[in-house]
């Protein structure tokens, strides 16, 4: 909890120097105040949410990945021939959160994954999870942050970084 301090309490009546306790806040209280500020800013700017990332596969088709707030892929979509189809699928998924069904599977090597089903149609497949707890955590992340997530489109630029000659001379 952040404690608010009146600035008049910090001013010393003695101008010659400090007496008694220091009027300067301690580093511990500064760290607490900064930590609370950082948490509030993360909440305000929505940094605690997932992101849709649109990319182009090597075969020329488009796909989207739903990534967690830490950048780890949770879902990978099916292929789309055109980019606008991919964008429409994302908007459809955002609008139909109430109708999403998560079908859970277990692979031959014991890893667990789920498929996202909407209106009897498979929309996306999750990454593989090692435990049931992590699987449920991935599903929870999808249901919690799907509607408020932003879309990043990396399909337009083949080279994100400039050529090495331009950078290093």
């Amino acid at each position: 909890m952040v404690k608010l301090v009146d600035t008049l309490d910090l001013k010393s009546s003695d101008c010659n120097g400090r007496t008694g306790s220091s009027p300067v806040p301690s580093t511990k209280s500064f760290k607490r105040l900064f930590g609370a500020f950082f948490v509030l800013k993360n909440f305000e700017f929505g940094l605690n949410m997932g992101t849709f990332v649109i990319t182009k596969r090597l075969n020329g088709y488009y796909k989207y990945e739903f990534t967690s707030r830490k950048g780890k892929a949770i879902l990978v979509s099916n292929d789309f021939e055109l980019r606008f189809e991919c964008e429409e699928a994302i908007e459809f998924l955002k609008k139909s959160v109430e109708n999403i069904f998560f079908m859970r599977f277990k692979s031959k090597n014991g890893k667990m994954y789920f498929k996202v089903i909407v209106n009897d149609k498979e929309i996306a497949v999750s990454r593989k999870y090692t435990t049931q707890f992590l699987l449920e955590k991935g599903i929870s992340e999808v249901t919690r942050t799907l509607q408020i997530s932003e879309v990043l489109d990396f399909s337009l630029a083949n080279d994100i970084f400039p050529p090495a000659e331009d950078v290093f001379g």
Side-chain angles (χ1 to χ4, degrees):
M1 181 171 169
V2 178
K3 182 178 166 185
L4 297 176
V5 179
D6 189 8
T7 55
L8 294 176
D9 292 340
L10 296 177
K11 293 181 181 176
S12 175
S13 60
D14 184 15
C15 295
N16 295 333
R18 295 185 208 159
T19 57
S21 65
S22 172
V24 179
S26 68
T27 56
K28 188 176 181 181
S29 64
F30 175 75
K31 287 179 182 177
R32 249 190 240 140
L33 182 64
F34 180 73
F37 173 76
F38 185 71
V39 168
L40 287 174
K41 282 297 173 189
N42 279 350
F43 183 73
E44 179 183 339
F45 291 124
L47 297 176
N48 203 10
M49 65 180 176
T51 306
F52 285 101
V53 180
I54 299 174
T55 56
K56 193 172 188 179
R57 295 184 190 255
L58 294 176
N59 63 5
Y61 287 95
Y62 295 91
K63 68 168 182 161
Y64 65 83
E65 291 182 2
F66 183 73
T67 60
S68 69
R69 66 183 192 275
K70 295 180 181 179
K72 191 152 192 161
I74 298 176
L75 298 174
V76 179
S77 71
N78 299 329
D79 290 344
F80 298 96
E81 192 172 345
L82 301 171
R83 187 171 50 92
F84 81 89
E85 292 174 336
C86 190
E87 293 170 352
E88 287 176 351
I90 291 171
E91 290 304 316
F92 173 73
L93 193 59
K94 282 183 170 185
K95 290 178 183 173
S96 60
V97 170
E98 300 84 27
N99 301 329
I100 292 178
F101 176 71
F102 298 96
M103 189 175 287
R104 294 157 177 85
F105 293 95
K106 193 169 193 175
S107 64
K108 292 179 184 177
N109 62 358
K111 304 263 180 155
M112 291 163 264
Y113 64 99
F114 61 89
K115 292 184 179 182
V116 177
I117 312 286
V118 178
N119 298 335
D120 297 331
K121 183 179 176 189
E122 179 185 317
I123 303 294
V125 178
S126 77
R127 67 181 189 89
K128 306 294 189 273
Y129 295 94
T130 54
T131 64
Q132 182 73 25
F133 175 74
L134 292 174
L135 177 82
E136 296 302 325
K137 195 173 172 183
I139 291 173
S140 172
E141 177 96 12
V142 170
T143 55
R144 190 169 33 86
T145 64
L146 188 73
Q147 288 180 322
I148 59 170
S149 60
E150 60 183 14
V151 178
L152 300 176
D153 190 357
F154 291 124
S155 65
L156 299 176
N158 292 336
D159 296 327
I160 297 173
F161 300 105
E165 299 83 33
D166 294 347
V167 176
F168 300 110

